[in-house]
Amino acid sequence: IALEQPPFLAGGRVRYELELIQSGVAEATVINILDPLPIELEQLSSDEGTINGQSITWQIPSLNVGERRLLSFEAVISENTSNGSIITNQAELQWAEGGSPVLSDNPDTPQIDPTQFEVQSRTRLTFTKTVRREDGLSAFTPGSNIIYDLVIINDGPGDSQALSVRDILSPSLIPITDREWISPDGLVANIQGQEVTWAVPAIAEGRQLSLQVGAQLSNTLTAGFVVLNQAEASLSNQPSAAPQLSDDPN
């Protein structure tokens, strides 16, 4: 079960559920379940099972006829998993009165394996931000107008999701609001105080989108003063996820 959308992204969380149904004619005892997991699954967690490396085990003293037991665990799909990788998983069950281990699904019919899924790699974005004087001069002097150019490149694989880009301008900057800032790609900057935002649509693999906003350097700035500014991009449908910064803050 994918716990995030879109499902089965590299780096996303998944949940596995194992249901035991005692369909025999007598009590089953000393029940042991072993689930060896593929290396693509990391950060394993289970409330009922015991984790040992890449395996999870459960021990159940007994199950009466007709009794059911639901077990589960969660994992994270490794960020390094290649796009299109097929992840399979199979547990085995043994009990005191049984013979050979019973598998959780039929390995001869993988096409109907309910635990098999295909991984989608997260789209990798390059996010840069540069600044220039609007009049083309090289020196940044108090009172001059500057333009920030932001570029987002989709390095793939696949198209990106829609993005929300946010830029909190330095107090040393006065946003220019007497005109509308429309980038060459037609995206309009929404300026509210010192906060600038853009709604960025999905970007096709290998393509890029540009954003622009202008500001004026405060007349009170002195020579040598450093103006710092950094934008961030986040998934529109996952606002709580960690944003991608336009440059290295360190």
Side-chain angles (χ1 to χ4, degrees), residues 1 32 53 66 76 90 100 106 113 151 156 172 181 187 200 218 245:
I1 302 171
N32 293 291
V76 173
Q90 196 169 49
S100 300
N106 188 347
D113 183 352
V151 177
S172 304
W181 290 95
L187 300 178
V200 178
S218 172
L245 301 178

Side-chain angles (χ1 to χ4, degrees), residues 132-159:
R132 56 188 168 88
R133 271 186 62 146
E134 186 175 26
D135 57 14
L137 298 179
S138 59
F140 294 94
T141 56
S144 60
N145 288 350
I146 62 173
I147 295 177
Y148 282 108
D149 294 297
L150 297 82
V151 177
I152 305 173
I153 303 173
N154 180 357
D155 299 315
D159 296 348

Side-chain angles (χ1 to χ4, degrees), residues 31 59 72 139 180:
I31 302 164
Q59 295 181 330
S72 65
E180 193 171 46

